[in-house]
């Protein structure tokens, strides 16, 4: 906060004027009534989501104890462990790049690999980010971009999901302008791009971000239907993920 205040105090006049004009245009376009309505809708949506989650929890028994008991009782010298990254090994972050693995996570992964287990960490992040974060752990396997790329344990080269080359990315020019247009009018949104996907991250955009994400989700689905694009859109932890519909960690493991 102190750094932000200092930056505002020492900012030159032209920068202040430009920022003020952008904020003025935004507030003039999106009125207090619109903000209020979107906030109430977001609260109602959150309440409904909580009720749904609690209902599922009551119906589904907690299998953690059973899984742990089975894992401990398994007598094999090697176990294959497929671990999700965001939301599993590390909590979701408002700014994705801040979700770096902690020293504790790195130590646990090193111990699992050193014990002879086949450990693979799966993420939607790009190859270079995954490589840079986990390069210090010998023998770890990596899955990047939701399953488009795979680096097997004890290997250095990445493998691409069979049947998916760069030629299958002709959908991007149709989707990118939509994402950019909605991001420009939604403060706090960040667009992440990898070779095979886009992520429209609205974790820092507040209730209005959720409102915009719902609208954008609907428009992209309409585009997919009208242009017969082989895409899927998912809204996970305040992030719209757009990628080819047959890319997944599950399919990678099957192949």
């Amino acid at each position: 906060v102190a750094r932000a205040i200092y930056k505002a105090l020492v900012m030159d006049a032209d920068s202040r004027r430009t920022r003020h004009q952008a904020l003025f245009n935004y507030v003039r376009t999106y009125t207090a009534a619109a903000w209020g309505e979107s906030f109430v809708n977001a609260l109602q949506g959150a309440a409904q989501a909580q009720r749904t989650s609690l209902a599922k929890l009551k119906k589904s028994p907690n299998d953690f104890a059973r899984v742990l008991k089975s894992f401990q009782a398994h007598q094999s010298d090697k176990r294959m462990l497929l671990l999700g990254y965001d939301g599993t090994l590390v909590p979701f972050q408002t700014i994705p790049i801040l979700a770096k693995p902690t020293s504790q996570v790195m130590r646990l992964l090193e111990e699992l690999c050193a014990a002879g287990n086949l450990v693979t960490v799966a993420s939607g992040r790009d190859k270079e980010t995954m490589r840079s974060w986990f390069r210090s752990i010998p023998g770890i396997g990596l899955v990047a971009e939701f399953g488009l790329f795979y680096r097997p344990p004890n290997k250095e080269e990445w493998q691409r999901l069979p049947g998916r080359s760069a030629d299958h990315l002709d959908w991007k020019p149709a989707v990118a302008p939509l994402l950019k247009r909605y991001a420009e009018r939604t403060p706090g949104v960040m667009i992440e791009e990898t070779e095979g996907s886009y992520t429209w991250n609205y974790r820092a955009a507040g209730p209005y971000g959720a409102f915009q994400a719902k609208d954008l989700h609907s428009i992209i689905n309409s585009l997919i239907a009208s242009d017969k694009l082989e895409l899927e859109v998912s809204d996970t932890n305040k992030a719209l993920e757009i990628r080819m519909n047959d890319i997944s960690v599950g399919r990678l493991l099957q192949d």
Side-chain angles (χ1 to χ4, degrees):
V1 175
R3 284 195 297 269
I5 294 174
Y6 176 77
K7 183 178 179 180
L9 290 174
V10 300
M11 187 179 297
D12 62 87
D14 288 340
S15 296
R16 292 185 187 181
R17 191 177 300 109
T18 300
R19 290 168 181 263
H20 177 78
Q21 186 62 48
L23 290 173
F24 177 76
N25 292 339
Y26 189 85
V27 172
R28 185 175 58 182
T29 303
Y30 301 102
T31 64
W35 275 90
E37 182 180 358
S38 66
F39 184 76
V40 171
N41 290 338
L43 286 177
Q44 292 174 339
Q48 180 59 44
Q50 186 179 41
R51 287 193 292 268
T52 302
S53 178
L54 289 174
K56 290 181 179 179
L57 187 61
K58 290 178 180 178
K59 293 180 180 179
S60 303
N62 187 349
D63 289 335
F64 177 76
R66 180 179 59 81
V67 172
L68 179 61
K69 182 178 179 180
S70 176
F71 181 84
Q72 292 173 335
H74 196 59
Q75 298 300 316
S76 174
D77 292 334
K78 286 188 177 182
R79 301 179 178 93
M80 182 176 180
L81 302 175
L82 178 62
L83 306 173
Y85 185 71
D86 291 282
T88 302
L89 292 178
V90 298
F92 288 100
Q93 295 286 346
T94 301
I95 302 176
I97 196 62
L98 297 180
K100 295 181 179 180
T102 63
S103 58
Q104 182 182 19
V105 167
M106 296 294 285
R107 185 168 60 253
L108 289 173
L109 292 174
E110 288 173 358
E111 291 175 358
L112 286 171
C113 290
N117 300 295
L118 296 176
V119 181
T120 298
V121 176
S123 173
R125 297 173 184 272
D126 63 272
K127 295 180 295 182
E128 291 309 313
T129 297
M130 296 295 287
R131 190 203 309 270
S132 65
W133 281 352
F134 298 104
R135 67 175 59 183
S136 64
I137 302 179
I140 195 168
L142 300 174
V143 175
E145 299 194 25
F146 304 103
L148 181 58
F149 294 102
Y150 173 54
R151 197 189 76 176
N154 300 305
K155 301 290 185 180
E156 290 297 325
E157 297 299 321
W158 289 88
Q159 301 175 7
R160 183 187 289 269
L161 183 69
R164 281 301 181 184
S165 66
D167 296 334
H168 293 86
L169 303 178
D170 53 355
W171 57 271
K172 279 193 164 185
V175 173
L178 280 173
L179 302 181
K180 183 178 180 181
R181 184 160 68 248
Y182 270 78
E184 287 174 346
R185 63 192 197 192
T186 313
V189 163
M190 290 175 287
I191 299 176
E192 304 165 68
E193 180 181 5
T194 64
E195 181 175 327
S197 68
Y198 281 117
T199 300
W200 198 82
N201 185 321
Y202 62 95
R203 292 181 190 130
Y208 187 67
F211 176 81
Q212 290 286 77
K214 185 177 181 180
D215 192 29
L216 177 59
H217 195 164
S218 177
I219 290 176
I220 294 177
N221 277 334
S222 297
L223 179 66
I224 291 172
S226 63
D227 292 6
K228 298 181 179 179
L229 301 176
E230 297 180 354
L231 300 177
E232 69 175 17
V233 188
S234 61
D235 192 344
T236 307
N237 291 287
K238 297 185 178 181
L240 284 182
E241 298 169 352
I242 305 100
R243 61 182 182 273
M244 290 174 282
N245 58 14
D246 61 348
I247 291 179
S248 69
V249 177
R251 187 194 161 191
L252 179 68
L253 293 176
Q254 290 175 356
D255 292 338

